mmCIF file with all atom_site columns, all heavy atoms in Angstrom:
data_model
loop_
_atom_site.group_PDB
_atom_site.id
_atom_site.type_symbol
_atom_site.label_atom_id
_atom_site.label_alt_id
_atom_site.label_comp_id
_atom_site.label_asym_id
_atom_site.label_entity_id
_atom_site.label_seq_id
_atom_site.pdbx_PDB_ins_code
_atom_site.Cartn_x
_atom_site.Cartn_y
_atom_site.Cartn_z
_atom_site.occupancy
_atom_site.B_iso_or_equiv
_atom_site.pdbx_formal_charge
_atom_site.auth_seq_id
_atom_site.auth_comp_id
_atom_site.auth_asym_id
_atom_site.auth_atom_id
_atom_site.pdbx_PDB_model_num
ATOM 1   N N   . LYS Z 1 1  ? 93.074  118.871 136.590 1.00 88.00 ? 28 LYS Z N   1
ATOM 2   C CA  . LYS Z 1 1  ? 92.133  119.859 137.114 1.00 88.00 ? 28 LYS Z CA  1
ATOM 3   C C   . LYS Z 1 1  ? 91.641  120.838 136.050 1.00 88.00 ? 28 LYS Z C   1
ATOM 4   O O   . LYS Z 1 1  ? 90.819  121.711 136.354 1.00 88.00 ? 28 LYS Z O   1
ATOM 5   C CB  . LYS Z 1 1  ? 92.786  120.636 138.252 1.00 88.00 ? 28 LYS Z CB  1
ATOM 6   C CG  . LYS Z 1 1  ? 93.123  119.771 139.463 1.00 88.00 ? 28 LYS Z CG  1
ATOM 7   C CD  . LYS Z 1 1  ? 93.781  120.577 140.558 1.00 88.00 ? 28 LYS Z CD  1
ATOM 8   C CE  . LYS Z 1 1  ? 94.126  119.699 141.752 1.00 88.00 ? 28 LYS Z CE  1
ATOM 9   N NZ  . LYS Z 1 1  ? 94.814  120.463 142.819 1.00 88.00 ? 28 LYS Z NZ  1
ATOM 10  N N   . ILE Z 1 2  ? 92.132  120.715 134.830 1.00 90.00 ? 29 ILE Z N   1
ATOM 11  C CA  . ILE Z 1 2  ? 91.721  121.640 133.777 1.00 90.00 ? 29 ILE Z CA  1
ATOM 12  C C   . ILE Z 1 2  ? 90.208  121.552 133.556 1.00 90.00 ? 29 ILE Z C   1
ATOM 13  O O   . ILE Z 1 2  ? 89.650  120.477 133.409 1.00 90.00 ? 29 ILE Z O   1
ATOM 14  C CB  . ILE Z 1 2  ? 92.472  121.347 132.463 1.00 90.00 ? 29 ILE Z CB  1
ATOM 15  C CG1 . ILE Z 1 2  ? 93.943  121.734 132.604 1.00 90.00 ? 29 ILE Z CG1 1
ATOM 16  C CG2 . ILE Z 1 2  ? 91.851  122.090 131.284 1.00 90.00 ? 29 ILE Z CG2 1
ATOM 17  C CD1 . ILE Z 1 2  ? 94.187  123.204 132.852 1.00 90.00 ? 29 ILE Z CD1 1
ATOM 18  N N   . GLY Z 1 3  ? 89.576  122.721 133.514 1.00 76.00 ? 30 GLY Z N   1
ATOM 19  C CA  . GLY Z 1 3  ? 88.134  122.778 133.319 1.00 76.00 ? 30 GLY Z CA  1
ATOM 20  C C   . GLY Z 1 3  ? 87.336  122.539 134.584 1.00 76.00 ? 30 GLY Z C   1
ATOM 21  O O   . GLY Z 1 3  ? 86.113  122.597 134.560 1.00 76.00 ? 30 GLY Z O   1
ATOM 22  N N   . LYS Z 1 4  ? 88.031  122.311 135.717 1.00 70.00 ? 31 LYS Z N   1
ATOM 23  C CA  . LYS Z 1 4  ? 87.333  121.986 136.952 1.00 70.00 ? 31 LYS Z CA  1
ATOM 24  C C   . LYS Z 1 4  ? 87.633  122.963 138.074 1.00 70.00 ? 31 LYS Z C   1
ATOM 25  O O   . LYS Z 1 4  ? 87.017  122.907 139.128 1.00 70.00 ? 31 LYS Z O   1
ATOM 26  C CB  . LYS Z 1 4  ? 87.705  120.575 137.408 1.00 70.00 ? 31 LYS Z CB  1
ATOM 27  C CG  . LYS Z 1 4  ? 87.473  119.493 136.353 1.00 70.00 ? 31 LYS Z CG  1
ATOM 28  C CD  . LYS Z 1 4  ? 87.949  118.142 136.835 1.00 70.00 ? 31 LYS Z CD  1
ATOM 29  C CE  . LYS Z 1 4  ? 87.759  117.064 135.778 1.00 70.00 ? 31 LYS Z CE  1
ATOM 30  N NZ  . LYS Z 1 4  ? 88.619  117.233 134.616 1.00 70.00 ? 31 LYS Z NZ  1
ATOM 31  N N   . THR Z 1 5  ? 88.611  123.840 137.895 1.00 60.00 ? 32 THR Z N   1
ATOM 32  C CA  . THR Z 1 5  ? 88.983  124.786 138.934 1.00 60.00 ? 32 THR Z CA  1
ATOM 33  C C   . THR Z 1 5  ? 89.014  126.183 138.346 1.00 60.00 ? 32 THR Z C   1
ATOM 34  O O   . THR Z 1 5  ? 88.743  126.398 137.169 1.00 60.00 ? 32 THR Z O   1
ATOM 35  C CB  . THR Z 1 5  ? 90.373  124.452 139.511 1.00 60.00 ? 32 THR Z CB  1
ATOM 36  O OG1 . THR Z 1 5  ? 91.331  124.496 138.442 1.00 60.00 ? 32 THR Z OG1 1
ATOM 37  C CG2 . THR Z 1 5  ? 90.398  123.070 140.125 1.00 60.00 ? 32 THR Z CG2 1
ATOM 38  N N   . SER Z 1 6  ? 89.361  127.159 139.167 1.00 55.00 ? 33 SER Z N   1
ATOM 39  C CA  . SER Z 1 6  ? 89.475  128.526 138.686 1.00 55.00 ? 33 SER Z CA  1
ATOM 40  C C   . SER Z 1 6  ? 90.949  128.913 138.589 1.00 55.00 ? 33 SER Z C   1
ATOM 41  O O   . SER Z 1 6  ? 91.814  128.259 139.155 1.00 55.00 ? 33 SER Z O   1
ATOM 42  C CB  . SER Z 1 6  ? 88.756  129.493 139.639 1.00 55.00 ? 33 SER Z CB  1
ATOM 43  O OG  . SER Z 1 6  ? 89.297  129.390 140.942 1.00 55.00 ? 33 SER Z OG  1
ATOM 44  N N   . SER Z 1 7  ? 91.228  129.988 137.852 1.00 54.00 ? 34 SER Z N   1
ATOM 45  C CA  . SER Z 1 7  ? 92.592  130.474 137.703 1.00 54.00 ? 34 SER Z CA  1
ATOM 46  C C   . SER Z 1 7  ? 92.647  131.920 138.179 1.00 54.00 ? 34 SER Z C   1
ATOM 47  O O   . SER Z 1 7  ? 91.651  132.483 138.612 1.00 54.00 ? 34 SER Z O   1
ATOM 48  C CB  . SER Z 1 7  ? 93.035  130.399 136.231 1.00 54.00 ? 34 SER Z CB  1
ATOM 49  O OG  . SER Z 1 7  ? 92.357  131.372 135.461 1.00 54.00 ? 34 SER Z OG  1
ATOM 50  N N   . HIS Z 1 8  ? 93.813  132.509 138.105 1.00 55.00 ? 35 HIS Z N   1
ATOM 51  C CA  . HIS Z 1 8  ? 93.972  133.908 138.494 1.00 55.00 ? 35 HIS Z CA  1
ATOM 52  C C   . HIS Z 1 8  ? 93.752  134.836 137.305 1.00 55.00 ? 35 HIS Z C   1
ATOM 53  O O   . HIS Z 1 8  ? 94.429  135.844 137.155 1.00 55.00 ? 35 HIS Z O   1
ATOM 54  C CB  . HIS Z 1 8  ? 95.355  134.141 139.113 1.00 55.00 ? 35 HIS Z CB  1
ATOM 55  C CG  . HIS Z 1 8  ? 95.538  133.454 140.428 1.00 55.00 ? 35 HIS Z CG  1
ATOM 56  N ND1 . HIS Z 1 8  ? 94.860  133.824 141.568 1.00 55.00 ? 35 HIS Z ND1 1
ATOM 57  C CD2 . HIS Z 1 8  ? 96.295  132.387 140.783 1.00 55.00 ? 35 HIS Z CD2 1
ATOM 58  C CE1 . HIS Z 1 8  ? 95.214  133.042 142.578 1.00 55.00 ? 35 HIS Z CE1 1
ATOM 59  N NE2 . HIS Z 1 8  ? 96.085  132.157 142.123 1.00 55.00 ? 35 HIS Z NE2 1
ATOM 60  N N   . GLY Z 1 9  ? 92.793  134.500 136.458 1.00 61.00 ? 36 GLY Z N   1
ATOM 61  C CA  . GLY Z 1 9  ? 92.436  135.370 135.349 1.00 61.00 ? 36 GLY Z CA  1
ATOM 62  C C   . GLY Z 1 9  ? 92.977  134.938 134.013 1.00 61.00 ? 36 GLY Z C   1
ATOM 63  O O   . GLY Z 1 9  ? 92.476  135.354 132.976 1.00 61.00 ? 36 GLY Z O   1
ATOM 64  N N   . CYS Z 1 10 ? 94.012  134.107 134.012 1.00 84.00 ? 37 CYS Z N   1
ATOM 65  C CA  . CYS Z 1 10 ? 94.597  133.644 132.753 1.00 84.00 ? 37 CYS Z CA  1
ATOM 66  C C   . CYS Z 1 10 ? 93.816  132.453 132.203 1.00 84.00 ? 37 CYS Z C   1
ATOM 67  O O   . CYS Z 1 10 ? 92.855  131.992 132.788 1.00 84.00 ? 37 CYS Z O   1
ATOM 68  C CB  . CYS Z 1 10 ? 96.059  133.268 132.959 1.00 84.00 ? 37 CYS Z CB  1
ATOM 69  S SG  . CYS Z 1 10 ? 97.145  134.683 133.275 1.00 84.00 ? 37 CYS Z SG  1
ATOM 70  N N   . VAL Z 1 11 ? 94.279  131.965 131.044 1.00 92.00 ? 38 VAL Z N   1
ATOM 71  C CA  . VAL Z 1 11 ? 93.676  130.800 130.402 1.00 92.00 ? 38 VAL Z CA  1
ATOM 72  C C   . VAL Z 1 11 ? 94.639  129.637 130.567 1.00 92.00 ? 38 VAL Z C   1
ATOM 73  O O   . VAL Z 1 11 ? 95.753  129.667 130.053 1.00 92.00 ? 38 VAL Z O   1
ATOM 74  C CB  . VAL Z 1 11 ? 93.404  131.066 128.907 1.00 92.00 ? 38 VAL Z CB  1
ATOM 75  C CG1 . VAL Z 1 11 ? 92.796  129.831 128.254 1.00 92.00 ? 38 VAL Z CG1 1
ATOM 76  C CG2 . VAL Z 1 11 ? 92.489  132.268 128.731 1.00 92.00 ? 38 VAL Z CG2 1
ATOM 77  N N   . ARG Z 1 12 ? 94.209  128.619 131.261 1.00 93.00 ? 39 ARG Z N   1
ATOM 78  C CA  . ARG Z 1 12 ? 95.081  127.511 131.618 1.00 93.00 ? 39 ARG Z CA  1
ATOM 79  C C   . ARG Z 1 12 ? 94.702  126.270 130.818 1.00 93.00 ? 39 ARG Z C   1
ATOM 80  O O   . ARG Z 1 12 ? 93.535  125.877 130.786 1.00 93.00 ? 39 ARG Z O   1
ATOM 81  C CB  . ARG Z 1 12 ? 94.959  127.245 133.117 1.00 93.00 ? 39 ARG Z CB  1
ATOM 82  C CG  . ARG Z 1 12 ? 95.938  126.255 133.689 1.00 93.00 ? 39 ARG Z CG  1
ATOM 83  C CD  . ARG Z 1 12 ? 95.733  126.126 135.189 1.00 93.00 ? 39 ARG Z CD  1
ATOM 84  N NE  . ARG Z 1 12 ? 95.946  127.398 135.867 1.00 93.00 ? 39 ARG Z NE  1
ATOM 85  C CZ  . ARG Z 1 12 ? 95.640  127.618 137.147 1.00 93.00 ? 39 ARG Z CZ  1
ATOM 86  N NH1 . ARG Z 1 12 ? 95.069  126.671 137.858 1.00 93.00 ? 39 ARG Z NH1 1
ATOM 87  N NH2 . ARG Z 1 12 ? 95.894  128.791 137.694 1.00 93.00 ? 39 ARG Z NH2 1
ATOM 88  N N   . LEU Z 1 13 ? 95.698  125.643 130.176 1.00 96.00 ? 40 LEU Z N   1
ATOM 89  C CA  . LEU Z 1 13 ? 95.515  124.399 129.422 1.00 96.00 ? 40 LEU Z CA  1
ATOM 90  C C   . LEU Z 1 13 ? 96.454  123.337 129.993 1.00 96.00 ? 40 LEU Z C   1
ATOM 91  O O   . LEU Z 1 13 ? 97.357  123.659 130.764 1.00 96.00 ? 40 LEU Z O   1
ATOM 92  C CB  . LEU Z 1 13 ? 95.835  124.603 127.939 1.00 96.00 ? 40 LEU Z CB  1
ATOM 93  C CG  . LEU Z 1 13 ? 95.196  125.787 127.202 1.00 96.00 ? 40 LEU Z CG  1
ATOM 94  C CD1 . LEU Z 1 13 ? 95.726  125.843 125.769 1.00 96.00 ? 40 LEU Z CD1 1
ATOM 95  C CD2 . LEU Z 1 13 ? 93.684  125.694 127.211 1.00 96.00 ? 40 LEU Z CD2 1
ATOM 96  N N   . THR Z 1 14 ? 96.270  122.085 129.585 1.00 96.00 ? 41 THR Z N   1
ATOM 97  C CA  . THR Z 1 14 ? 97.296  121.094 129.917 1.00 96.00 ? 41 THR Z CA  1
ATOM 98  C C   . THR Z 1 14 ? 98.595  121.507 129.232 1.00 96.00 ? 41 THR Z C   1
ATOM 99  O O   . THR Z 1 14 ? 98.585  122.226 128.229 1.00 96.00 ? 41 THR Z O   1
ATOM 100 C CB  . THR Z 1 14 ? 96.902  119.682 129.447 1.00 96.00 ? 41 THR Z CB  1
ATOM 101 O OG1 . THR Z 1 14 ? 96.887  119.660 128.009 1.00 96.00 ? 41 THR Z OG1 1
ATOM 102 C CG2 . THR Z 1 14 ? 95.537  119.269 129.979 1.00 96.00 ? 41 THR Z CG2 1
ATOM 103 N N   . ASN Z 1 15 ? 99.716  121.049 129.764 1.00 96.00 ? 42 ASN Z N   1
ATOM 104 C CA  . ASN Z 1 15 ? 100.998 121.403 129.165 1.00 96.00 ? 42 ASN Z CA  1
ATOM 105 C C   . ASN Z 1 15 ? 101.079 120.980 127.702 1.00 96.00 ? 42 ASN Z C   1
ATOM 106 O O   . ASN Z 1 15 ? 101.599 121.708 126.851 1.00 96.00 ? 42 ASN Z O   1
ATOM 107 C CB  . ASN Z 1 15 ? 102.145 120.765 129.951 1.00 96.00 ? 42 ASN Z CB  1
ATOM 108 C CG  . ASN Z 1 15 ? 102.513 121.556 131.188 1.00 96.00 ? 42 ASN Z CG  1
ATOM 109 O OD1 . ASN Z 1 15 ? 102.317 122.765 131.249 1.00 96.00 ? 42 ASN Z OD1 1
ATOM 110 N ND2 . ASN Z 1 15 ? 103.038 120.875 132.192 1.00 96.00 ? 42 ASN Z ND2 1
ATOM 111 N N   . TRP Z 1 16 ? 100.560 119.778 127.390 1.00 97.00 ? 43 TRP Z N   1
ATOM 112 C CA  . TRP Z 1 16 ? 100.675 119.309 126.007 1.00 97.00 ? 43 TRP Z CA  1
ATOM 113 C C   . TRP Z 1 16 ? 99.738  120.086 125.070 1.00 97.00 ? 43 TRP Z C   1
ATOM 114 O O   . TRP Z 1 16 ? 100.104 120.346 123.930 1.00 97.00 ? 43 TRP Z O   1
ATOM 115 C CB  . TRP Z 1 16 ? 100.452 117.808 125.921 1.00 97.00 ? 43 TRP Z CB  1
ATOM 116 C CG  . TRP Z 1 16 ? 99.151  117.298 126.473 1.00 97.00 ? 43 TRP Z CG  1
ATOM 117 C CD1 . TRP Z 1 16 ? 97.960  117.201 125.824 1.00 97.00 ? 43 TRP Z CD1 1
ATOM 118 C CD2 . TRP Z 1 16 ? 98.923  116.797 127.795 1.00 97.00 ? 43 TRP Z CD2 1
ATOM 119 N NE1 . TRP Z 1 16 ? 96.998  116.670 126.641 1.00 97.00 ? 43 TRP Z NE1 1
ATOM 120 C CE2 . TRP Z 1 16 ? 97.563  116.405 127.870 1.00 97.00 ? 43 TRP Z CE2 1
ATOM 121 C CE3 . TRP Z 1 16 ? 99.741  116.618 128.914 1.00 97.00 ? 43 TRP Z CE3 1
ATOM 122 C CZ2 . TRP Z 1 16 ? 96.997  115.866 129.019 1.00 97.00 ? 43 TRP Z CZ2 1
ATOM 123 C CZ3 . TRP Z 1 16 ? 99.174  116.080 130.067 1.00 97.00 ? 43 TRP Z CZ3 1
ATOM 124 C CH2 . TRP Z 1 16 ? 97.829  115.713 130.110 1.00 97.00 ? 43 TRP Z CH2 1
ATOM 125 N N   . ASP Z 1 17 ? 98.573  120.471 125.547 1.00 97.00 ? 44 ASP Z N   1
ATOM 126 C CA  . ASP Z 1 17 ? 97.679  121.277 124.714 1.00 97.00 ? 44 ASP Z CA  1
ATOM 127 C C   . ASP Z 1 17 ? 98.248  122.676 124.496 1.00 97.00 ? 44 ASP Z C   1
ATOM 128 O O   . ASP Z 1 17 ? 98.177  123.225 123.392 1.00 97.00 ? 44 ASP Z O   1
ATOM 129 C CB  . ASP Z 1 17 ? 96.293  121.375 125.360 1.00 97.00 ? 44 ASP Z CB  1
ATOM 130 C CG  . ASP Z 1 17 ? 95.493  120.085 125.247 1.00 97.00 ? 44 ASP Z CG  1
ATOM 131 O OD1 . ASP Z 1 17 ? 95.872  119.236 124.412 1.00 97.00 ? 44 ASP Z OD1 1
ATOM 132 O OD2 . ASP Z 1 17 ? 94.502  119.930 125.978 1.00 97.00 ? 44 ASP Z OD2 1
ATOM 133 N N   . ALA Z 1 18 ? 98.812  123.257 125.559 1.00 97.00 ? 45 ALA Z N   1
ATOM 134 C CA  . ALA Z 1 18 ? 99.413  124.586 125.425 1.00 97.00 ? 45 ALA Z CA  1
ATOM 135 C C   . ALA Z 1 18 ? 100.590 124.548 124.455 1.00 97.00 ? 45 ALA Z C   1
ATOM 136 O O   . ALA Z 1 18 ? 100.795 125.477 123.653 1.00 97.00 ? 45 ALA Z O   1
ATOM 137 C CB  . ALA Z 1 18 ? 99.869  125.091 126.797 1.00 97.00 ? 45 ALA Z CB  1
ATOM 138 N N   . THR Z 1 19 ? 101.378 123.471 124.505 1.00 97.00 ? 46 THR Z N   1
ATOM 139 C CA  . THR Z 1 19 ? 102.509 123.321 123.586 1.00 97.00 ? 46 THR Z CA  1
ATOM 140 C C   . THR Z 1 19 ? 102.031 123.197 122.145 1.00 97.00 ? 46 THR Z C   1
ATOM 141 O O   . THR Z 1 19 ? 102.588 123.824 121.232 1.00 97.00 ? 46 THR Z O   1
ATOM 142 C CB  . THR Z 1 19 ? 103.347 122.087 123.969 1.00 97.00 ? 46 THR Z CB  1
ATOM 143 O OG1 . THR Z 1 19 ? 103.860 122.256 125.295 1.00 97.00 ? 46 THR Z OG1 1
ATOM 144 C CG2 . THR Z 1 19 ? 104.503 121.886 123.009 1.00 97.00 ? 46 THR Z CG2 1
ATOM 145 N N   . GLU Z 1 20 ? 100.985 122.380 121.945 1.00 97.00 ? 47 GLU Z N   1
ATOM 146 C CA  . GLU Z 1 20 ? 100.442 122.225 120.598 1.00 97.00 ? 47 GLU Z CA  1
ATOM 147 C C   . GLU Z 1 20 ? 99.935  123.556 120.049 1.00 97.00 ? 47 GLU Z C   1
ATOM 148 O O   . GLU Z 1 20 ? 100.241 123.930 118.917 1.00 97.00 ? 47 GLU Z O   1
ATOM 149 C CB  . GLU Z 1 20 ? 99.312  121.197 120.626 1.00 97.00 ? 47 GLU Z CB  1
ATOM 150 C CG  . GLU Z 1 20 ? 98.684  120.937 119.258 1.00 97.00 ? 47 GLU Z CG  1
ATOM 151 C CD  . GLU Z 1 20 ? 97.629  119.842 119.316 1.00 97.00 ? 47 GLU Z CD  1
ATOM 152 O OE1 . GLU Z 1 20 ? 98.009  118.652 119.294 1.00 97.00 ? 47 GLU Z OE1 1
ATOM 153 O OE2 . GLU Z 1 20 ? 96.425  120.183 119.384 1.00 97.00 ? 47 GLU Z OE2 1
ATOM 154 N N   . LEU Z 1 21 ? 99.176  124.271 120.871 1.00 97.00 ? 48 LEU Z N   1
ATOM 155 C CA  . LEU Z 1 21 ? 98.638  125.564 120.430 1.00 97.00 ? 48 LEU Z CA  1
ATOM 156 C C   . LEU Z 1 21 ? 99.764  126.559 120.167 1.00 97.00 ? 48 LEU Z C   1
ATOM 157 O O   . LEU Z 1 21 ? 99.711  127.324 119.186 1.00 97.00 ? 48 LEU Z O   1
ATOM 158 C CB  . LEU Z 1 21 ? 97.684  126.117 121.483 1.00 97.00 ? 48 LEU Z CB  1
ATOM 159 C CG  . LEU Z 1 21 ? 97.034  127.467 121.167 1.00 97.00 ? 48 LEU Z CG  1
ATOM 160 C CD1 . LEU Z 1 21 ? 96.177  127.386 119.914 1.00 97.00 ? 48 LEU Z CD1 1
ATOM 161 C CD2 . LEU Z 1 21 ? 96.198  127.955 122.358 1.00 97.00 ? 48 LEU Z CD2 1
ATOM 162 N N   . ALA Z 1 22 ? 100.794 126.551 121.015 1.00 97.00 ? 49 ALA Z N   1
ATOM 163 C CA  . ALA Z 1 22 ? 101.906 127.504 120.858 1.00 97.00 ? 49 ALA Z CA  1
ATOM 164 C C   . ALA Z 1 22 ? 102.600 127.356 119.518 1.00 97.00 ? 49 ALA Z C   1
ATOM 165 O O   . ALA Z 1 22 ? 103.106 128.341 118.956 1.00 97.00 ? 49 ALA Z O   1
ATOM 166 C CB  . ALA Z 1 22 ? 102.916 127.315 121.984 1.00 97.00 ? 49 ALA Z CB  1
ATOM 167 N N   . HIS Z 1 23 ? 102.619 126.152 118.966 1.00 97.00 ? 50 HIS Z N   1
ATOM 168 C CA  . HIS Z 1 23 ? 103.272 125.919 117.681 1.00 97.00 ? 50 HIS Z CA  1
ATOM 169 C C   . HIS Z 1 23 ? 102.356 126.236 116.495 1.00 97.00 ? 50 HIS Z C   1
ATOM 170 O O   . HIS Z 1 23 ? 102.781 126.126 115.347 1.00 97.00 ? 50 HIS Z O   1
ATOM 171 C CB  . HIS Z 1 23 ? 103.772 124.479 117.592 1.00 97.00 ? 50 HIS Z CB  1
ATOM 172 C CG  . HIS Z 1 23 ? 105.002 124.226 118.423 1.00 97.00 ? 50 HIS Z CG  1
ATOM 173 N ND1 . HIS Z 1 23 ? 104.939 123.790 119.722 1.00 97.00 ? 50 HIS Z ND1 1
ATOM 174 C CD2 . HIS Z 1 23 ? 106.318 124.373 118.142 1.00 97.00 ? 50 HIS Z CD2 1
ATOM 175 C CE1 . HIS Z 1 23 ? 106.169 123.667 120.211 1.00 97.00 ? 50 HIS Z CE1 1
ATOM 176 N NE2 . HIS Z 1 23 ? 107.020 124.018 119.270 1.00 97.00 ? 50 HIS Z NE2 1
ATOM 177 N N   . MET Z 1 24 ? 101.112 126.610 116.769 1.00 97.00 ? 51 MET Z N   1
ATOM 178 C CA  . MET Z 1 24 ? 100.191 126.956 115.693 1.00 97.00 ? 51 MET Z CA  1
ATOM 179 C C   . MET Z 1 24 ? 99.809  128.435 115.683 1.00 97.00 ? 51 MET Z C   1
ATOM 180 O O   . MET Z 1 24 ? 99.083  128.886 114.801 1.00 97.00 ? 51 MET Z O   1
ATOM 181 C CB  . MET Z 1 24 ? 98.910  126.110 115.787 1.00 97.00 ? 51 MET Z CB  1
ATOM 182 C CG  . MET Z 1 24 ? 99.128  124.625 115.540 1.00 97.00 ? 51 MET Z CG  1
ATOM 183 S SD  . MET Z 1 24 ? 97.577  123.719 115.233 1.00 97.00 ? 51 MET Z SD  1
ATOM 184 C CE  . MET Z 1 24 ? 96.786  123.821 116.823 1.00 97.00 ? 51 MET Z CE  1
ATOM 185 N N   . VAL Z 1 25 ? 100.298 129.200 116.677 1.00 97.00 ? 52 VAL Z N   1
ATOM 186 C CA  . VAL Z 1 25 ? 99.985  130.626 116.727 1.00 97.00 ? 52 VAL Z CA  1
ATOM 187 C C   . VAL Z 1 25 ? 101.251 131.454 116.544 1.00 97.00 ? 52 VAL Z C   1
ATOM 188 O O   . VAL Z 1 25 ? 102.365 130.951 116.640 1.00 97.00 ? 52 VAL Z O   1
ATOM 189 C CB  . VAL Z 1 25 ? 99.314  131.016 118.066 1.00 97.00 ? 52 VAL Z CB  1
ATOM 190 C CG1 . VAL Z 1 25 ? 98.016  130.250 118.271 1.00 97.00 ? 52 VAL Z CG1 1
ATOM 191 C CG2 . VAL Z 1 25 ? 100.259 130.799 119.235 1.00 97.00 ? 52 VAL Z CG2 1
ATOM 192 N N   . LYS Z 1 26 ? 101.043 132.733 116.288 1.00 96.00 ? 53 LYS Z N   1
ATOM 193 C CA  . LYS Z 1 26 ? 102.145 133.677 116.184 1.00 96.00 ? 53 LYS Z CA  1
ATOM 194 C C   . LYS Z 1 26 ? 101.664 135.028 116.690 1.00 96.00 ? 53 LYS Z C   1
ATOM 195 O O   . LYS Z 1 26 ? 100.446 135.250 116.837 1.00 96.00 ? 53 LYS Z O   1
ATOM 196 C CB  . LYS Z 1 26 ? 102.628 133.772 114.728 1.00 96.00 ? 53 LYS Z CB  1
ATOM 197 C CG  . LYS Z 1 26 ? 101.545 134.212 113.740 1.00 96.00 ? 53 LYS Z CG  1
ATOM 198 C CD  . LYS Z 1 26 ? 102.048 134.168 112.311 1.00 96.00 ? 53 LYS Z CD  1
ATOM 199 C CE  . LYS Z 1 26 ? 100.941 134.556 111.325 1.00 96.00 ? 53 LYS Z CE  1
ATOM 200 N NZ  . LYS Z 1 26 ? 101.410 134.486 109.927 1.00 96.00 ? 53 LYS Z NZ  1
ATOM 201 N N   . PRO Z 1 27 ? 102.561 135.947 116.978 1.00 97.00 ? 54 PRO Z N   1
ATOM 202 C CA  . PRO Z 1 27 ? 102.134 137.270 117.440 1.00 97.00 ? 54 PRO Z CA  1
ATOM 203 C C   . PRO Z 1 27 ? 101.148 137.911 116.468 1.00 97.00 ? 54 PRO Z C   1
ATOM 204 O O   . PRO Z 1 27 ? 101.309 137.817 115.252 1.00 97.00 ? 54 PRO Z O   1
ATOM 205 C CB  . PRO Z 1 27 ? 103.452 138.052 117.509 1.00 97.00 ? 54 PRO Z CB  1
ATOM 206 C CG  . PRO Z 1 27 ? 104.487 137.004 117.798 1.00 97.00 ? 54 PRO Z CG  1
ATOM 207 C CD  . PRO Z 1 27 ? 104.041 135.795 117.017 1.00 97.00 ? 54 PRO Z CD  1
#
């Protein structure tokens, strides 16, 4: 459903995309 529905204000990715991004960012 990513890109096809709405969220409660947050930014929602697939679990694998969020995991990939999490390992490339820092505070």
Side-chain angles (χ1 to χ4, degrees):
K28 296 179 181 178
I29 290 297
K31 305 176 182 68
T32 59
S33 58
S34 71
H35 293 292
C37 290
V38 179
R39 188 178 299 170
L40 310 176
T41 67
N42 279 333
W43 56 87
D44 286 344
T46 299
E47 181 176 279
L48 180 62
H50 286 91
M51 294 195 292
V52 300
K53 59 185 178 181

